[in-house]
Amino acid sequence: MGNPKAFLTIGRKEAGYRPLHDRIYDYAEVEQTLNIEDRRLQASRCMDCGVPFCHWACPLGNRQGEWQDLAWRGRWEEAYRSLAETDDFPEFTGRVCPALCEKSCVLKLHDAPVTIRENEVSIVERAFAEGYVTARPPRRRTGKRVAVVGSGPSGLACANRLNRRGHRVTVFEKNEFIGGLLRLGIPDFKLGKKIIDRRLKLLAEEGIEFKPSVCVGKDFKTKELLEKFDAVCVTIGAGVPRDLPVEGRDLKGVYFALELLQQQNRVNAGAQIPQNERISAQGKRVLVIGGGDTGSDCVGTSIRQGAVGVTQIEIMPKPPVGSNPDTPWPMYPQVLKTSSSHEEGCERRWNLATNRFIGKDGVLIGVETERVEWEKDDAGKMTLKHTGETEVIEADIVLLAMGFVHPELDGLVGDLGVGLDARKNIAVDDANRTTVGKVFAAGDASMGASLVVRAIASGRRAAENIDRFLKGQ
Ligand SMILES: Cc1cc2nc3c(=O)[nH]c(=O)nc-3n(C[C@H](O)[C@H](O)[C@H](O)COP(=O)(O)OP(=O)(O)OC[C@H]3O[C@@H](n4cnc5c(N)ncnc54)[C@H](O)[C@@H]3O)c2cc1C
Ligand code: SF4
């Protein structure tokens, strides 16, 4: 803590987003960066607390106090080394993490937490710019082979840790691109894909073998997988989206959020999509059903595609603005979030259920919604009450962004015969073991849909457990 008074004398300063009139015409990252002096000053606001709540809240156990002090002192390389010890990919979390740490920062008590996430991304970007993020292949190989199935953040983190320990790792991915939802879910305006490519190049130089366009269970048989590898880690994500099976669901114009987002990310990467398969909001009225982050990504994407209007509806009530007594500090606050996409122009409404999709000649023209009310019962549980007050919202495209239920159960999961938990996620014990010998699981596939930071933490933990298993411990 180089400057013990900085938290009193220096205010929180965010880098902010590119101007609206500029950013909505492209898919480049919207977030800006501070100059290096301002960044050092922001890092100096950290009090290096005796009880660092930021560290407590971070699923990776990042040592925010340590690396922010080093950044303030201008010791960027040491700051990066400290950060990289607990986070395999700070360039991803620094961009897309909802920053659980900041919400728990002691300075959040005065609504001006340290800009931890932005400080993190500055440290890692400086590390790349100054050339001290280099490939570090392991000195010795153990002779053991591990298959990682699924190349999202949990699979990549697991592969990275195992490779560092000298095991030979092959990552299988059914898509043509490596990266999971980082690549084909999260829009480019939040996470530019060159950032993923830069990391993958290093991982490949360090010896990890990537096999894109191989769906394990289909293109590569499960039996062969178990025969050829000493251990397998299943990190296939929670790929099944929650559906809304009401009247009119099969009308043309009703899509899952990921259908739009994946396609747009592919188009940005240069893919040619046949006209009859292209999902485009250009000149259309868009209704996004689901008030969460995936919904917000649909809003930003629709705006960039040229929608004439975007509405986002949510069945739950509007969260409180600012603070919420139900989730006091240092808990993650359940409050209204306004993303960069919301700022770009979208109507947001709450307490609306969807009764049916309305169509003409098989094509969507509107959605009948109904106002609902929520009441807390004596046990504090929220119960839904229908009011009968209906309203038709005109729409040409509906995007269903209501979360994900569990991993795909056909194919690999069924073939392996791994046990499932009550929510149909892959059941694992404390050591990430599934019910099938030498098969482990991590990330959304075993936890349920979550966050990039939790997926990385889960992948790291699985790697440690697999390493112990391979050593016979
Ligand atoms: C639109 C969207 C936006 C999001 N934005 C954020 C955000 O801003 N911040 C945040 O923290 N989190 C965000 N999330 C959540 C986050 O992306 C996920 O929690 C995280 O990616 C999960 O990582 P994973 O490695 O477990 O799985 P995934 O990233 O889902 O990767 C699983 C991979 O396994 C592959 N696979 C599946 N089956 C097979 C098979 N049989 N053979 C080979 N490969 C297979 C899939 O194709 C996929 O590539 C977002 C999610 C979505 C959908
Ligand atoms: S809680 Fe905030 S001020 Fe304290 S160590 Fe963490 S980042 Fe620094």
Side-chain angles (χ1 to χ4, degrees):
M1 189 186 179
N3 178 357
K5 288 201 177 153
F7 73 97
L8 292 170
T9 54
I10 297 166
R12 176 180 164 100
K13 182 173 177 182
E14 293 172 16
Y17 303 126
R18 290 161 54 211
L20 263 172
H21 63 263
D22 176 40
R23 70 184 195 235
I24 60 168
Y25 297 107
D26 63 45
Y27 289 86
E29 285 186 2
V30 295
E31 191 162 65
Q32 307 192 108
T33 48
L34 292 182
N35 67 52
I36 209 69
E37 262 325 293
D38 278 349
R39 179 57 63 210
R40 282 189 53 235
L41 290 178
Q42 287 303 302
S44 77
R45 295 183 66 240
C46 173
M47 303 184 293
D48 203 2
C49 302
V51 181
F53 285 89
C54 52
H55 166 79
W56 164 84
C58 177
L60 288 164
N62 279 349
R63 297 194 294 267
Q64 292 87 342
E66 185 175 289
W67 43 257
Q68 293 187 120
D69 181 53
L70 289 163
W72 150 242
R73 291 171 196 277
R75 289 158 61 181
W76 295 99
E77 180 165 357
E78 286 167 84
Y80 172 71
R81 301 261 174 249
S82 165
L83 173 57
E85 264 181 43
T86 54
D87 187 349
D88 296 63
F89 314 121
E91 67 275 33
F92 304 157
T93 46
R95 284 178 167 81
V96 301
C97 192
L100 316 182
C101 53
E102 279 184 37
K103 313 305 181 293
S104 298
C105 171
V106 175
L107 295 181
K108 173 84 171 80
L109 283 165
H110 293 285
D111 281 332
V114 177
T115 51
I116 306 174
R117 182 185 57 76
E118 290 188 22
N119 295 346
E120 172 180 334
V121 81
S122 290
I123 291 170
V124 60
E125 285 310 317
R126 200 168 168 95
F128 272 105
E130 295 193 348
Y132 37 80
V133 191
T134 51
R136 289 158 56 206
R139 290 208 189 94
R140 269 174 287 119
R141 287 289 174 187
T142 61
K144 301 283 185 190
R145 289 172 56 93
V146 185
V148 173
V149 186
S151 69
S154 62
L156 292 179
C158 181
N160 187 36
R161 305 315 302 168
L162 287 168
N163 184 54
R164 292 253 161 110
R165 295 195 180 195
H167 308 303
R168 280 268 171 221
V169 184
T170 306
V171 178
F172 294 92
E173 168 56 56
K174 71 175 178 183
N175 284 315
E176 73 279 34
F177 293 113
I178 300 294
L181 287 173
L182 296 171
R183 173 78 69 171
L184 285 177
I186 299 177
D188 292 11
F189 56 80
K190 275 165 63 180
L191 173 65
K193 302 310 177 236
K194 284 192 178 142
I195 304 297
I196 306 175
D197 294 336
R198 183 176 66 180
R199 178 60 69 174
L200 292 179
K201 185 168 174 287
L202 285 169
L203 297 180
E205 282 167 15
E206 288 171 350
I208 296 176
E209 187 183 10
F210 290 105
K211 290 202 174 285
S213 303
V214 179
C215 182
V216 178
K218 198 168 129 204
D219 308 317
F220 188 82
K221 295 291 169 224
T222 311
K223 188 165 169 280
E224 203 179 336
L225 183 80
L226 295 174
E227 278 167 9
K228 285 202 170 150
F229 293 92
D230 301 292
V232 173
C233 192
V234 181
T235 52
I236 57 173
V240 178
R242 183 165 287 113
D243 206 347
L244 191 54
V246 295
E247 184 188 323
R249 170 63 183 88
D250 52 1
L251 288 168
K252 188 168 171 9
V254 183
Y255 304 103
F256 285 118
L258 262 193
E259 291 182 79
L260 172 90
L261 298 173
Q262 282 191 342
Q263 200 183 76
Q264 188 57 54
N265 282 8
R266 285 195 163 101
V267 169
N268 294 346
Q272 299 289 329
I273 309 288
Q275 200 50 39
N276 61 343
E277 289 173 27
R278 181 83 169 103
I279 305 169
S280 171
Q282 188 170 19
K284 301 206 172 129
R285 299 160 300 180
V286 177
L287 180 70
V288 179
I289 302 183
D293 293 340
T294 301
S296 151
D297 291 344
C298 290
V299 170
T301 302
S302 302
I303 288 170
R304 279 162 184 72
Q305 289 186 347
V308 290
V310 185
T311 305
Q312 185 180 20
I313 64 170
E314 165 61 50
I315 196 169
M316 297 301 291
K318 183 175 178 180
V321 179
S323 63
N324 182 345
D326 288 343
T327 51
W329 179 90
M331 291 167 77
Y332 190 83
Q334 298 301 329
V335 293
L336 181 71
K337 280 194 260 172
T338 302
S339 69
S340 62
S341 297
H342 293 133
E343 287 175 0
E344 290 162 7
C346 141
E347 186 186 359
R348 299 170 77 185
R349 300 179 60 187
W350 288 266
N351 286 78
L352 285 182
T354 303
N355 283 350
R356 63 188 178 107
F357 301 112
I358 304 164
K360 195 174 164 213
D361 303 329
V363 180
L364 179 83
I365 55 167
V367 180
E368 183 187 284
T369 60
E370 179 178 349
R371 195 173 70 75
V372 294
E373 284 171 1
W374 290 90
E375 280 169 10
K376 255 189 197 168
D377 65 15
D378 293 342
K381 195 170 160 248
M382 298 278 269
T383 49
L384 176 79
K385 224 180 91 192
H386 284 269
T387 64
E389 285 173 38
T390 60
E391 177 192 349
V392 172
I393 300 178
E394 292 179 0
D396 309 302
I397 288 192
V398 159
L399 299 164
L400 303 175
M402 302 176 304
F404 295 83
V405 283
H406 52 66
E408 278 164 25
L409 304 177
D410 295 342
L412 175 66
V413 171
D415 276 8
L416 280 170
V418 288
L420 303 176
D421 66 16
R423 292 179 303 151
K424 294 196 183 160
N425 296 315
I426 299 176
V428 288
D429 65 10
D430 289 346
N432 292 89
R433 281 178 305 210
T434 67
T435 50
V436 174
K438 81 175 182 182
V439 178
F440 297 72
D444 282 7
S446 61
M447 300 184 294
S450 186
L451 295 173
V452 170
V453 66
R454 292 211 175 95
I456 295 175
S458 172
R460 284 173 66 97
R461 223 172 16 251
E464 262 177 44
N465 287 320
I466 293 170
D467 183 53
R468 270 191 219 117
F469 166 78
L470 292 173
K471 287 176 178 155
Q473 289 170 354

